[in-house]
Amino acid sequence: MTTAESYAEFAAREAHGVSPAYERLSLAVSRDDEVLGLLGTLPPAKRQPNLLFGVVRLLGGPVEDPAAFHDYTVANWPAIETEMRTRATQTNEAGRCAVLLPLLAALPQPLALLEVGASAGLCLYPDRYAYRYGDHLVGSGEPVLECAATGVAPPAGVPEVVWRAGLDLNPLDVTDPADVAWLDALIWPEHAHRRARLRAAAAVAAAEPPLLVRGDLVDDLPALAARAPAGATLVVFHTSVMYQVPAPRREAFAEVVRRLPGHWIANEAPGVMPCDGLPRPPGEALHNVLALDGTPLAWTRGHGQAIVWFG
Ligand SMILES: C[S@@+](CC[C@H](N)C(=O)[O-])C[C@H]1O[C@@H](n2cnc3c(N)ncnc32)[C@H](O)[C@@H]1O
């Protein structure tokens, strides 16, 4: 896919109906030869819409008006380029816990959670948040994570978590204002509810910081998994990570995780993990696939706002 096509696809399948500002912007970039030319000077993995838009927001640039965005990007390219080369999209969306919860709650308790690609670790607290699946409220904490659930009964309660650890190439620290500013810049412009959620989830994590280890999800997973306590079900999980990992490393990861005790939950785009025989996705919008131990079970939306269990 060319860079222009990937921006058009982002507009149509990710931002459409979710962020009008990013839909407009992404479509404009897909037709903007000057900005596409600048993006073409970056390695392919660094040309993504979320990274460009997040960096421009971090630097205080305009993202509502495509013409103003174009002028700002061209005028400030050296600063934008520097940030894009050094940063990665590390969006940490606690809302994704809402699609993990039906699986986590159904496993033998208590749980030892190990998240690979954990960012700041906000998805490591599924037991501390509350959830609203339609009229059904689960848990009693903050933030309250809203999720439209189809074809799956909401869990009766939150799981019992006795250990939580994260592995990331670049762990972020929710007590560091610079890291929180980057997490904030990665949230899409109109999503005030997600900004509020970030603050609330960051407060939960700051009160009991997770064990976050800097490392690679293949090379460093066995050593971290070995630190999980006996007597708890080890759950290795990842959400929206594998699109950043080259295919041979994804395969190596799957081999490593299959050799570990416990269970493996993946919540990833359909193209990045092997999953045969998927049913048709519910609509044109991009959906992730939720899988347990390699078996795909449900479609989920990117920020955890919906889950559709396979019929
Ligand atoms: C888009 S973020 C998702 C964060 C979190 N899983 C969530 O859903 O909120 C992807 C994270 O994966 C991390 N990552 C990418 N490749 C990795 C690797 N090979 N090993 C460990 N972490 C990796 C990135 O640093 C980033 O923090």
Side-chain angles (χ1 to χ4, degrees):
M1 202 186 283
T2 65
T3 307
E5 286 166 350
S6 71
Y7 275 74
E9 157 123 348
F10 179 86
R13 300 197 61 211
E14 295 196 55
H16 178 70
V18 184
S19 169
Y22 275 7
E23 184 180 5
R24 262 192 321 269
L25 213 54
S26 203
L27 208 53
V29 171
S30 77
R31 298 166 180 160
D32 184 334
D33 288 340
E34 197 171 3
V35 172
L36 289 171
L38 295 171
L39 289 169
T41 64
L42 297 172
K46 292 285 180 181
R47 298 175 192 165
Q48 315 150 33
N50 267 328
L51 184 57
L52 172 64
F53 300 160
V55 162
V56 169
R57 291 194 70 236
L58 184 74
L59 296 174
V63 292
E64 301 285 344
D65 170 27
F69 175 84
H70 167 96
D71 292 347
Y72 181 90
T73 301
V74 171
N76 294 279
W77 182 250
I80 294 171
E81 179 182 9
T82 303
E83 294 288 351
M84 288 183 77
R85 282 185 185 275
T86 51
R87 292 183 185 274
T89 50
Q90 292 198 262
T91 309
N92 201 185
E93 181 46 78
R96 294 176 181 140
C97 288
V99 301
L100 302 175
L101 200 76
L103 292 184
L104 293 174
L107 293 174
Q109 309 289 310
L111 305 181
L113 296 181
L114 196 171
E115 182 182 13
V116 299
S119 184
L122 300 181
C123 293
L124 282 165
Y125 297 85
D127 52 329
R128 301 293 168 81
Y129 305 142
Y131 303 83
R132 194 175 291 117
Y133 300 94
D135 297 337
H136 194 96
L137 193 66
V138 181
S140 56
E142 287 279 344
V144 180
L145 308 174
E146 308 259 354
C147 181
T150 306
V152 59
V158 294
E160 182 189 356
V161 178
V162 291
W163 185 79
R164 52 191 108 227
L167 189 58
D168 201 287
L169 290 179
N170 181 42
L172 296 179
D173 176 358
V174 290
T175 65
D176 178 343
D179 283 358
V180 176
W182 177 229
L183 289 171
D184 190 292
L186 286 164
I187 294 178
W188 299 1
E190 306 89 342
H191 292 192
H193 65 291
R194 292 181 59 213
R195 254 176 219 103
R197 187 192 287 172
L198 169 65
R199 306 284 156 192
V204 170
E208 187 201 325
L211 167 61
L212 284 183
V213 174
R214 184 180 298 273
D216 174 74
L217 54 73
V218 179
D219 299 335
D220 302 301
L221 175 59
L224 185 55
R227 294 169 69 177
T233 303
L234 175 67
V235 184
V236 176
F237 72 98
H238 47 95
T239 83
S240 302
V241 173
M242 293 299 165
Y243 74 95
Q244 298 186 1
V245 179
R249 298 295 285 168
R250 297 199 296 259
E251 284 161 26
F253 167 78
E255 273 177 38
V256 170
V257 80
R258 281 181 200 281
R259 282 199 296 269
L260 293 174
H263 293 277
W264 168 31
I265 297 176
N267 183 47
E268 299 287 346
V272 297
M273 294 303 281
C275 15
D276 296 329
L278 290 175
R280 285 172 66 82
E284 289 301 308
L286 189 67
H287 283 76
N288 286 327
V289 177
L290 182 71
L292 176 64
D293 299 326
T295 302
L297 296 172
W299 293 111
T300 65
R301 284 308 306 274
H303 299 135
Q305 65 271 47
I307 179 167
V308 179
W309 214 258
F310 296 166

